Amino acid sequence: MTTPSNQGAPVPRPEADAVPLHPVIAQVTERLVARSATARATYLARTDAAGTAGPARTRLACANLAHGFAASEPVEKIDLRGTVKPNLAIVTSYNDMLSAHQPFVDYPPQIKKAVIRAGGIAQVAGGVPAMCDGITQGRAGMQMSLYSRDVIAMATAIGLSHDMFDATLMLGVCDKIVPGLLIGALSFGHLPTALVPAGPMTSGLPNKEKARTRQRFAEGKATREELLEAEAASYHSAGTCTFYGTANSNQLLVELMGLHLPGASFVNPGTPLRSALTDAVSARVTRLAADVQAGEPVARLADVVSERTIVNACVALLASGGSTNHTMHLVAIARAAGVELTWDDLSDLSAVVPLLTRIYPNGSADVNHFAAAGGTAFLVRTLLDAGLLHEDVETVAGPGLRRYTMEPRLAEDGSLSWVEGPTASLDAAVLRPVEEPFQADGGLRVLSGPIGTAVIKTSAVSPEHRVVTAPAIVMDDQADFIAAFDRGELDGRDFVAVLRYQGPAAIGMPELHKLTPLLGVLQDRGQHVAIVTDGRMSGASGKVPAAIHVTPEAALGGAIAKIVDGDLVTVDGVAGTLSVADADVVLARPSTGAAPSAAEFVGTGRELFGAFRATVGPADQGASVFPAVTAQHSIEEIPVAQHA
């Protein structure tokens, strides 16, 4: 089954017998719909009110409109002055320092040509920042990383605020960029919207070898030159890093949310297929914008991001052992669409969604190997056939998630079509069907207990290391942990490292990957070690059990601030508990330590983010500075900015 894409036609929807939805998937969805009823209705009412017939720019006064096309090419000016063709906004995260975003340099001219061929016009509405956690690891800049998501959301809203646009194409890939783009765009949910990916770099040094060199360096057995050579051989060209961290989790989740064209996520940059997919999504969104203007029923962004879509994204995250960052990002994205997702929902889904992939750090393969093994098309197929995904969703490719079991193919003449994807895994060491999972439950778990609520990524942790009970070693700065390791003070002892005052309201919730190789060294020596923190470890969480995102956080009086050296702490990734011995005694203590004062947040721009530290919400509510739509507000009372 094939279809040309050059006219923006929907991707084919293969026929399949209806599969009953798994009862837990159904139950979680039903309660999510009920819980979100008021907020979702409020959001959709605002979205409906923002829509209009005809091009958006026709509502502008002449002086406003003239400013909107003053710098355009003469032919574009004619079209922008007119009242027929839809105008697409391009929001880009391009910069030429970061490998994942460097390919976007050529996208706007290409997109404009594709949109013109499809009967529309396009303008770059704005740019958003894109910072790299890989560069800022262990640096002061990492303290702004999580905040950058909400900055990106605001920057997206500013770009779209000119009321010149009838649809949106968002160019983004990594970490906070994709969630930020989505949160910002959801304030303009009346517009058809798609994400336009750049794809992963080709495979370089195997991730297992890179990790081995990092650990050897931590032990003093490899030189800095050897470490740099290994890192450079791994991160070697344009494209997303190939391990399965937040960036590639973004791509998988966005595709299963129906915001990519099928099969678009993991096509390498600079290839003919990558270029053809960019043309195709440009034409497709142009077609959707024209249909909106004609009064046709079309999937707007608000329709695509629904309660069922959010559940599908959670299932995809769990089945693939994706980034722990998404336990916050998915909550924040959902709230922006009036959907009140909780960690309890994720926990209940995790109990029935099996782990189906082994991609580094959960295995030795990278995302290119995953794509070759059957990739997203097979993953969607096996989850749909098991009743673990909602098929009845809206997507940019057309109604129904079954379309995402298709794969894109290029003919010799360069035309693009979609064909049936694999019906069986091509590499069972990387990707498996639901009937033969790597483990019976999801790759992420929610932990709870007297210390608070936390998240653990179990998929990368060997079963024998998933339960650790040991005395606490309490620190308030990762630099202190590194120094203790270097002095040999952590050798020969079992412990749970309690690293606190790392949360959103304390220092911005930085990732703590500098600790991963050190903890790995100690675990390999036979020590029983774990970490408990209100900070982050992200999608690259390693083989040591890490209870992260502890909520309430230390800076807000959470119990993690009351633990002292020697308290017996248990991290149980099997039972899903996070506990401390003599909990009543521990909880009766006053908090020890303190979050850094404002005077300490100077340098690297951190002094500009005091308002974020003062207003950011807890991790289990998305760690966002944006308030959610609540039942106590009427539609008229809620400012547009609160939906950003």
Side-chain angles (χ1 to χ4, degrees):
M1 183 187 304
T2 64
T3 186
S5 67
N6 55 4
Q7 298 300 317
V11 175
R13 183 179 186 177
E15 294 183 5
D17 294 334
V19 177
L21 201 61
H22 189 288
V24 172
I25 306 296
Q27 291 165 11
V28 170
T29 306
E30 288 166 5
R31 78 184 185 209
L32 184 57
V33 169
R35 185 191 309 132
S36 308
T38 299
R40 180 66 175 169
T42 299
Y43 172 73
L44 290 176
R46 292 178 57 81
T47 299
D48 293 341
T52 183
R57 64 189 180 279
T58 61
R59 292 174 289 171
L60 298 179
C62 293
N64 303 65
L65 182 57
H67 277 84
F69 61 65
S72 300
E73 296 294 329
V75 174
E76 293 175 339
K77 283 186 179 182
I78 293 172
D79 288 335
L80 288 167
R81 288 169 68 110
T83 59
V84 177
K85 293 185 176 182
N87 186 25
L88 274 63
I90 302 170
V91 180
T92 178
S93 60
Y94 163 73
N95 64 63
D96 66 3
M97 176 184 69
L98 302 182
S99 63
H101 302 93
Q102 186 274 342
F104 288 138
V105 64
D106 297 321
Y107 275 43
Q110 178 185 350
I111 288 171
K112 288 184 178 185
K113 291 177 182 178
V115 169
I116 289 170
R117 288 194 300 269
I121 43 180
Q123 294 177 293
V124 175
V128 301
M131 68 180 296
C132 177
D133 291 357
I135 296 175
T136 57
Q137 282 295 334
R139 311 287 300 172
M142 174 58 80
Q143 296 177 15
M144 299 183 291
S145 172
L146 183 59
Y147 297 150
S148 76
R149 182 197 65 196
D150 291 359
V151 172
I152 291 162
M154 291 186 283
T156 300
I158 288 171
L160 297 177
S161 69
H162 296 96
D163 288 334
M164 287 282 292
F165 307 110
D166 307 295
T168 308
L169 292 168
M170 297 188 291
L171 315 186
V173 176
C174 288
D175 296 278
K176 273 61 65 183
I177 292 88
V178 166
L181 288 168
L182 258 180
I183 292 168
L186 280 163
S187 284
F188 300 80
H190 59 289
L191 302 178
T193 299
L195 273 291
V196 185
M201 65 179 67
T202 55
S203 300
L205 181 73
N207 286 303
K208 191 173 183 178
E209 177 62 22
K210 176 189 65 179
R212 190 182 73 85
T213 304
R214 285 179 175 178
Q215 189 158 314
R216 288 181 63 245
F217 179 77
E219 295 178 279
K221 297 178 180 178
T223 66
R224 179 178 175 82
E225 289 73 21
E226 289 174 315
L227 177 63
L228 181 57
E229 185 62 30
E231 299 287 359
S234 179
Y235 309 120
H236 61 90
S237 66
T240 315
C241 305
T242 59
F243 71 92
Y244 194 51
T246 310
N248 286 312
S249 297
N250 276 339
Q251 301 314 295
L252 179 66
L253 268 60
V254 166
E255 185 165 332
L256 266 83
M257 292 173 75
L259 290 166
H260 282 171
L261 289 182
S265 296
F266 301 121
V267 176
N268 302 125
T271 61
L273 182 55
R274 176 84 277 158
S275 180
L277 285 164
T278 301
D279 285 349
V281 74
S282 303
R284 177 62 183 159
V285 175
T286 304
R287 171 73 173 272
L288 293 174
D291 287 348
V292 168
Q293 294 174 5
E296 300 290 337
V298 167
R300 311 162 301 174
L301 179 60
D303 304 315
V304 173
V305 183
S306 67
E307 297 95 334
R308 293 188 301 277
T309 304
I310 294 297
V311 170
N312 283 353
C314 293
V315 170
L317 179 70
L318 295 164
S320 62
S323 170
T324 53
N325 276 330
H326 281 294
T327 61
M328 294 182 294
H329 295 330
L330 279 176
V331 172
I333 291 166
R335 283 160 60 99
V339 179
E340 298 179 359
L341 179 69
T342 70
W343 281 3
D344 286 340
D345 298 326
L346 275 164
S347 183
D348 289 349
L349 291 170
S350 182
V352 299
V353 175
L355 179 68
L356 303 180
T357 75
R358 284 290 186 204
I359 320 171
Y360 184 84
N362 309 332
S364 59
D366 65 24
V367 294
N368 293 310
H369 302 132
F370 165 73
T376 306
F378 177 75
L379 185 66
V380 171
R381 181 185 300 278
T382 190
L383 289 169
L384 278 174
D385 290 347
L388 292 170
L389 289 172
H390 290 278
E391 203 281 329
D392 56 335
V393 293
E394 297 290 346
T395 80
V396 297
L401 192 63
R402 185 66 63 172
R403 298 176 194 274
Y404 286 76
T405 64
M406 307 288 285
E407 288 187 333
R409 289 287 185 271
L410 272 183
E412 289 186 6
D413 63 0
S415 63
L416 179 65
S417 61
W418 272 264
V419 302
E420 289 277 6
T423 58
S425 172
L426 303 177
D427 187 346
V430 178
L431 177 62
R432 292 186 181 177
V434 168
E435 298 78 16
E436 302 173 19
F438 290 104
Q439 64 185 49
D441 58 355
L444 296 174
R445 293 210 65 174
V446 177
L447 308 179
S448 59
I451 297 175
T453 305
V455 173
I456 187 171
K457 185 171 182 176
T458 59
S459 54
V461 180
S462 297
E464 65 271 21
H465 295 306
R466 291 180 184 173
V467 180
V468 174
T469 298
I473 296 177
V474 180
M475 298 181 185
D476 294 347
D477 191 318
Q478 63 176 321
D480 294 337
F481 182 94
I482 295 170
F485 176 89
D486 290 340
R487 291 192 298 266
E489 295 172 4
L490 305 180
D491 295 347
R493 53 193 295 201
D494 297 343
F495 64 87
V496 174
V498 178
L499 191 59
R500 44 191 209 167
Y501 297 105
Q502 305 296 303
I507 61 172
M509 210 178 194
E511 291 182 353
L512 305 169
H513 287 316
K514 290 291 184 182
L515 308 184
T516 301
L518 310 183
L519 289 163
V521 168
L522 301 176
Q523 181 174 274
D524 287 352
R525 291 175 181 170
Q527 296 173 228
H528 294 91
V529 295
I531 183 169
V532 175
T533 180
D534 47 13
R536 294 186 292 137
M537 297 292 276
S538 176
S541 302
K543 61 188 181 182
V544 174
I548 59 177
H549 306 177
V550 172
T551 305
E553 63 173 286
L556 300 180
I560 189 175
K562 301 181 180 185
I563 297 173
V564 298
D565 285 351
D567 284 340
L568 199 63
V569 175
T570 296
V571 177
D572 191 334
V574 178
T577 58
L578 178 61
S579 58
V580 60
D582 299 319
D584 291 342
V585 174
V586 172
L587 295 177
R589 294 175 188 152
S591 296
T592 60
S597 67
E600 297 177 65
F601 288 99
V602 177
T604 323
R606 291 176 295 162
E607 62 272 17
L608 303 178
F609 286 82
F612 279 64
R613 290 190 295 274
T615 59
V616 68
D620 62 350
Q621 295 181 29
S624 175
V625 300
F626 306 133
V629 180
T630 61
Q632 66 189 26
H633 296 117
S634 70
I635 296 172
E636 293 78 14
E637 290 173 334
I638 302 172
V640 173
Q642 291 197 4
H643 289 279

